[in-house]
Amino acid sequence: MSRTAQKRRPFGSTRKLPSGRVQARYACPTCKATHPGHITFERAKDADAWLATVRAAIVQERYACPAKQPAATDPDDRAAQPFAEYADAWLAARTLRERTRLLYRSILDRELVPAFGATPLEQITRAQVRQWHTALPADRPTGNAHAYALLRTILGAAVDAEVLDTNPATIKGAGQTKRSRHVEPATVPELDTIAAAMPEPYGLAVLLAGWCALRYGELVELRRRDVSNDGAVVRVRRTMNYRDGRLWIGPPKSVAGTRDVSVPPHLQPALVQHLEKRAQPGKDGLVFPSRRSVPVACPCGYSGCVGGHLMATTFHRWFVTARAAADRTDLRVHDLRHTGLTLAAHAGATLPDLMKRAGHSSVDAAQVYMHAASGRDAEIAARMSQLVGQ
């Protein structure tokens, strides 16, 4: 479909804009005019879904003609709409994972609405955006990048919808972060020392996270049915996240995150024994539950959840003590994942192997661990010299 091509359907139509986003339009049954959607979409199916909501509103007699609405919501005058109102409508129309929606809502409420909420879209200037960005705390570069990226995206949607002529968020590189912390992966002896210093039975959790490169949320959401009977494979199908005082169970971080991970043979007997003696009973029992003897009711809404998840704050407290035993006070819980992928790279894993094992959808993300293994070149050269004289 070309940039200007339109896709016809029984109700409404969609077209791809020069920006690459998709605009939905429909014929109003009240004024007979063609109205575009108040926002644009990344995918055609999202535009189709929006048209379906308009059609449902018409059938259920809940529809209000945009031409009959106050001037501030008229398509020609939306540039005068306050940023907060436009951002709310933009967020409501997006198809997002609940975790992402909560993150965007938090950024809006904490960062963007206080700065731009009452300002009409057309009055937001490059100077205002730059002044706001300059005033952000310097000690949280990742949070600042996320806030700026969301502002740029929302204002970019206004440009795509022809509400604004240009996007005032034009600070080069402000929406990106660079890794400022060098992660030194744990060695095998250090990993064993940390695991031995953890309370029982959570030493195995450290080893499984380290050797299988599992994210913490993936680790604590593992259930009996996610582990093969012989302990050779763990199937990552869900992750646990705790946000805004509520427990969330959902799919992994990306489509690639849904994966089967082979467990190194030296860990398999311990994992089988753990399932027999330590995991919660039943196929939906958690592999690494909280120490609470009685599972609590879980508010996450997942039908298979029996509660008793091990909270990250508790695990982190134990981990801080355990890492000191290995003299690795710099190591974070998430660095266990880095350790596992570096070990896999040293073992000869190719780039596709690492992407599959880690659940990465990006080559760049997996490439980090290939670089970590590049130091083996000197070792290989030394071994080659041993061939002389044989």
Side-chain angles (χ1 to χ4, degrees), residues 59-254:
V59 172
Q60 298 169 13
E61 299 183 351
R62 296 184 291 103
Y63 174 78
C65 173
K68 304 294 184 180
Q69 300 306 303
T73 60
D74 188 278
D76 293 334
D77 295 324
R78 283 177 294 165
Q81 188 177 12
F83 172 83
E85 292 182 13
Y86 189 86
D88 286 346
W90 174 87
L91 184 60
R94 301 273 291 180
T95 302
L96 301 168
R97 290 180 58 192
E98 190 59 33
R99 178 179 177 180
T100 304
R101 186 176 299 280
L102 286 171
L103 174 62
Y104 286 178
R105 184 71 264 171
S106 176
I107 294 174
L108 281 169
D109 292 343
R110 187 181 65 251
E111 304 289 352
L112 302 185
V113 170
F116 304 101
T119 307
L121 289 175
E122 62 186 356
Q123 293 182 21
I124 298 176
T125 65
R126 292 185 179 185
Q128 183 182 4
V129 171
R130 188 171 295 277
Q131 182 180 17
W132 162 78
H133 184 263
T134 301
L136 292 174
D139 59 349
R140 53 173 204 185
T142 300
N144 295 346
H146 289 169
Y148 177 83
L150 183 59
L151 175 65
R152 182 185 59 200
T153 299
I154 294 173
L155 294 176
V159 173
D160 290 337
E162 300 178 355
V163 175
L164 295 177
D165 293 330
T166 60
N167 188 335
T170 58
I171 305 174
K172 187 176 181 179
Q176 301 174 348
T177 56
K178 295 182 179 179
R179 182 185 292 272
S180 58
R181 175 181 179 271
H182 172 70
V183 177
E184 183 66 32
T187 64
V188 173
E190 288 171 346
L191 195 60
D192 289 340
T193 299
I194 294 171
M198 290 287 289
E200 284 293 337
Y202 302 109
L204 180 61
V206 168
L207 294 175
L208 200 63
W211 285 98
C212 294
L214 301 178
R215 299 178 177 92
Y216 181 78
E218 297 169 346
L219 177 72
V220 297
E221 176 49 24
L222 283 178
R223 300 176 185 272
R224 281 180 176 271
R225 59 186 167 91
D226 298 322
V227 183
S228 62
N229 292 334
D230 58 359
V233 177
V234 293
R235 292 177 281 270
V236 179
R237 298 294 183 269
R238 298 165 309 282
T239 186
M240 183 274 284
N241 181 255
Y242 200 76
R243 183 179 290 277
D244 292 343
R246 186 176 177 187
L247 193 67
W248 297 94
I249 305 298
K253 187 175 180 180
S254 65

Side-chain angles (χ1 to χ4, degrees), residues 265-309:
H266 72 279
L267 283 183
Q268 294 172 16
L271 182 55
V272 170
Q273 185 178 29
H274 175 88
L275 291 175
E276 293 174 351
K277 298 182 178 181
R278 299 284 194 172
Q280 287 181 338
K283 66 178 183 179
D284 287 321
L286 293 168
V287 175
F288 295 106
S290 165
R291 275 184 157 181
R292 290 188 292 256
S293 58
V294 180
V296 297
C298 178
C300 69
Y302 171 57
S303 60
C305 187
V306 293
H309 284 85

Side-chain angles (χ1 to χ4, degrees), residues 309-327:
H309 284 85
L310 178 62
M311 293 293 101
T313 50
T314 302
F315 189 86
H316 179 264
R317 185 171 67 251
W318 295 334
F319 185 80
V320 166
T321 301
R323 71 185 182 183
D327 195 23

